[in-house]
Structures are given as C-alpha cells and as structure tokens.
Amino acid sequence: SAGGNAGLAAAYAAKKLGLPVTVVVPSTSGPAIVHKLEELGAEVEVAGKVWDDANKRALELAQTEGRFIIHPFDHPLVWQGHASLVQELKASLDTKPDAILLAVGGGGLLAGVVAGLRQVGWQDVPIIAAETRGAHSFHVAVEAGRLLSLPDITSVAKCLGAKTVAARALECAQECQVISQVVEDAEAVRAMEQFLDDERMLVQPACGAALALLYTGRLQRLQVEGRLRTPLASVVVVVCGGGNIQLAQMRALKSQLGLE
C-alpha cells in the first residue's frame, strides 16, 4: 500500500527481482502515479480516498490470497534503508551537522534517520520534523504523548497522509531531540516553487513541508526560543518526494490555495 513513492520503490525492486507485485493506492494518488506503476510492471488497485483505506485493502489481499505485505513505512527493514542516508552523510561531511530537517508522513524516514544517527554516534544532532496541517498525525501524537488518529487527511500533501503515525516514530520523539513543526499547505507549495527556482528541482508538497522550515524562518525562530544552537554552522535537509509531481500540478495547487 502506498500514496505513491513507496509503491514506485516496491514496483522497481519487484521488476529487478522478477517478482509479481500489486500496489494498492488511494484515489488521491491520481492517474499519473498509476500509470508509472503499471509501466514498471505492477498490478495496481485503487482503494479508498486516503492511504489508510488502501492499506486496509492491501492487508485483505495479503490475507485472502496468501501474499506477503510490504509496509511503506512501519517496518525495521524500511528504517534500515533510510539509516543508510546518515551513513552517507558521515562519509561525506567533515563534521556532523547542527540539525537535520525532514518531512514526516507515517514516520519511516524519521525512524531510519534516528537509527542512522545512533549508528554513527551522532545521537545529539537535533531533528526538525515537518508536517503540513491536515496531515499532522505525528505532531498530535507528540503533543499528546500517545498515538492519536486524525479524523481525515485534509492537506494537499497526500504523501504525508497517514491518519496515525508509526509507533516507532513517537518513540523516537521521546528518546531523541525531535522538534515537531507544522506548516501550512500554502507555505509548503511556496517552498516547492522557491526550491524549483533555486535548485531547478521540482518536488512534491510533502517535501515542500521540510523546505518550508528554511524559507519561512522557522529555524531562526527555534534559535530565538533556545531550541536550536546559534549559530548553525551546517544544516542537512532531506529532499525526497518527487516521483509524483508535474509542473501543471504545482500550478493547480497554487490556484487551489489562492497563491496565483
């Protein structure tokens, strides 16, 4: 089950391994992602409006047809894959960064980065975890100190759309210095556009949430509040989530949010 990018990864791996794969996506993923998945040889089923609906259907298929289930974010092997990102940072940076910025959907990337920081001895590096309002299941869990489910996903950042974050993500927030930040959809989409201008790279609103931390002055605010060190010598931003976005979609999002 996937909102998009995790499904593409599974379909790519299955094609390389010569294995059949079915990817269940919600209707909000759109026809472009379905086409890309089918191009990779995956069988695609559309179920429900949000990822949680698609995951329920995937679990049903696994149970009734004897298939293996591949979870898009809540599994130690997924975290292990994400942890390799920090190994690469360790190998390429002269010194550890003062902060790592990333987006949280279900929490797999966060869990993996935390695991990676431990592996390289960088446990004290703060992580700033961004979500868009309306897909902020991690933030409500952190605020409550327990897992809570959002009633619905109302954000345009559909790839962040897990109503309930992984239990491991909440544990990470309780074990390490993870600063949860919620940005507005409009801030995420503006950050997408600014990043396209700055770096010639088009990303999805999910990634725009992390970039918005930079472009809206959130880091400076956290410094003033004493939650981040001053000055920040280096900051790492995990830029991921660009498999399901086109320029026309960004323009449509701007129009939808009144940013034209």
Side-chain angles (χ1 to χ4, degrees), residues 45-253:
E45 183 171 328
V46 180
K49 283 179 59 181
V50 297
W51 170 80
D52 301 77
D53 301 331
N55 191 54
K56 183 179 178 182
R57 174 58 180 157
L59 291 169
E60 289 172 0
L61 284 173
Q63 188 172 19
T64 58
E65 300 184 19
R67 304 195 193 187
F68 292 101
I69 193 84
I70 300 172
H71 202 286
F73 60 82
D74 196 3
H75 194 282
L77 283 176
V78 176
W79 309 335
Q80 182 180 324
H82 292 313
S84 66
L85 180 158
V86 185
Q87 301 279 0
E88 292 177 18
L89 286 175
K90 173 76 170 178
S92 60
L93 296 179
D94 293 330
T95 58
K96 65 183 177 185
D98 291 331
I100 296 179
L101 280 54
L102 51 77
V104 173
L109 176 61
L110 171 63
V113 168
V114 166
L117 291 173
R118 284 186 167 154
Q119 289 165 13
V120 303
W122 287 357
Q123 299 94 319
D124 57 337
V125 174
I127 298 171
I128 301 96
E131 296 170 288
T132 48
R133 195 173 307 282
H136 57 301
S137 54
F138 176 65
H139 188 76
V140 296
V142 170
E143 292 284 286
R146 60 187 176 89
L147 292 179
L148 292 175
S149 297
L150 297 176
D152 196 11
I153 301 300
T154 57
S155 169
V156 300
K158 300 304 179 187
C159 279
L160 298 183
K163 290 183 181 178
T164 311
V165 75
R168 178 60 194 147
L170 179 59
E171 290 172 3
C172 289
Q174 294 166 341
E175 294 169 7
C176 310
Q177 187 182 354
V178 180
I179 303 170
S180 173
Q181 293 284 287
V182 178
V183 304
E184 303 301 328
D185 276 347
E187 292 176 314
V189 173
R190 283 195 193 99
M192 288 168 59
E193 187 173 39
Q194 184 67 53
F195 191 66
L196 180 60
D197 283 345
D198 289 348
E199 300 295 338
R200 307 297 186 266
M201 190 181 297
L202 181 61
V203 296
Q204 292 167 220
C207 180
L211 293 168
L213 299 174
L214 290 177
Y215 290 126
T216 60
R218 297 290 183 108
L219 295 188
Q220 289 87 341
R221 195 181 313 167
L222 290 170
Q223 286 177 301
V224 170
E225 294 171 1
R227 301 174 75 186
L228 284 180
R229 64 180 297 175
T230 302
L232 290 168
S234 68
V235 172
V236 168
V237 187
V238 182
V239 177
C240 67
N244 188 23
I245 187 67
Q246 296 168 327
L247 196 57
Q249 289 173 283
M250 187 179 77
R251 288 174 179 148
L253 288 170

